[in-house]
Amino acid sequence: MIFRLLLAEGMKLKRICLWLPLISAIILNVVIAGEWYLYFRQGPGGVYAGFSVMFLFLSFILLLSITLLTSIISSTEHDTGSWKQLCALPISRMYIYFSKTILVIFLHFLTIVFILLGIVLLWIFYTSEPIPWGFMIKQLIYCYLASLPVLAIQQWLSTRLQNQAIPIAFGVMGAMSSLFLARTESNVVHMLPWAYAPLSTPLLDEHMQWVCMGVISGIALIIAGALHFARSEVQ
């Protein structure tokens, strides 16, 4: 059933959703390329310092991409007023919610893949040093997993609110805050879901706890959102 719903969601998917992962990856890689060229191009150490640029902006790009993907996918039903017709089908509402969430998760993963390809090309262009595959993949996958609770929150907001300006504004503020939350010394602030992605970098010693918290809280919030969607009245 989920597979059929995913096929149906894919058929009505707006073209911008397919382009957005690539656009997000291009933006991040352009920033990395510019920073490497302007500040870190002197010596091998400078090339490796380029990872700090990815660490600074990766969470912002991923959380912003999540915000746009969840809003665009949910706006299809909001704009056409087809939520009632969709929920009137002999299909579990939870399956409907899960299908949209899985689609966002897949497109979000494509963003990671495109970012990795871009960084590898930049690395080959800038230096002959061996590509640190392990660090690259860990940096991207960990940030991807740690961003799941934000994906769950944005999916729930975009599904429940017809005016998509609200979840978009909320998501943009969350993405911007991720640039600063991880740099505070407050443990309370670090517990906010928007801090998990920047704290998940392998450059930090205790990064795995934030990856685990992201996965656990992300799954819990997705299930909670599906349960609320199944029990609430659809407009």
Side-chain angles (χ1 to χ4, degrees):
M1 183 61 69
I2 287 288
F3 182 72
R4 291 182 180 180
L5 285 171
L6 286 172
L7 289 178
E9 290 292 335
M11 292 178 64
K12 60 184 179 182
L13 189 66
K14 294 182 179 179
R15 188 171 299 177
I16 184 62
C17 290
L18 299 175
W19 282 101
L20 191 58
L22 180 59
I23 294 172
S24 300
I26 290 174
I27 292 174
L28 179 61
N29 280 288
V30 167
V31 172
I32 294 174
E35 291 287 333
W36 264 351
Y37 181 78
L38 293 174
Y39 302 109
F40 304 124
R41 57 178 171 165
Q42 298 178 352
V47 175
Y48 283 96
F51 277 121
S52 64
V53 181
M54 182 170 66
F55 162 66
L56 288 173
F57 296 102
L58 177 60
S59 61
F60 172 76
I61 290 295
L62 290 184
L63 298 187
L64 186 61
S65 177
I66 286 172
T67 299
L68 297 176
L69 283 172
T70 53
S71 179
I72 293 172
I73 290 176
S74 295
S75 67
T76 302
E77 267 66 42
H78 289 303
D79 294 341
T80 59
S82 58
W83 277 117
K84 284 189 175 182
Q85 291 86 345
L86 185 62
C87 293
L89 296 174
I91 303 172
S92 171
R93 288 189 178 185
M94 292 186 66
Y95 284 175
I96 295 173
Y97 189 91
F98 283 142
S99 65
K100 290 185 177 294
T101 305
I102 292 172
L103 185 60
V104 174
I105 291 174
F106 172 73
L107 293 172
H108 185 39
F109 183 75
L110 283 184
T111 306
I112 294 294
V113 173
F114 288 137
I115 290 174
L116 177 61
L117 293 175
I119 292 176
V120 169
L121 291 177
L122 287 176
W123 190 276
I124 295 173
F125 179 78
Y126 273 115
T127 180
S128 59
E129 293 287 315
I131 299 175
W133 287 105
F135 187 91
M136 280 187 180
I137 294 174
K138 286 180 180 179
Q139 173 77 76
L140 293 169
I141 293 297
Y142 288 171
C143 192
Y144 167 79
L145 294 175
S147 65
L148 287 179
V150 176
L151 187 151
I153 293 171
Q154 289 298 140
Q155 178 65 25
W156 178 77
L157 287 173
S158 298
T159 302
R160 297 308 305 159
L161 299 176
Q162 186 171 3
N163 184 359
Q164 291 301 296
I166 298 175
I168 289 177
F170 188 82
V172 170
M173 289 189 294
M176 293 179 63
S177 68
S178 70
L179 297 171
F180 310 101
L181 293 177
R183 291 164 181 79
T184 65
E185 297 181 357
S186 172
N187 291 329
V188 176
V189 173
H190 288 174
M191 296 302 294
L192 296 174
W194 297 270
Y196 296 171
L199 287 171
S200 66
T201 174
L203 294 171
L204 301 177
D205 293 333
E206 299 179 351
H207 61 279
M208 282 306 301
Q209 70 172 350
W210 303 109
V211 177
C212 294
M213 286 184 65
V215 173
I216 294 171
S217 60
I219 293 174
L221 288 172
I222 289 173
I223 295 174
L227 289 172
H228 181 264
F229 178 78
R231 297 174 180 176
S232 60
E233 183 179 353
V234 178
Q235 299 179 355

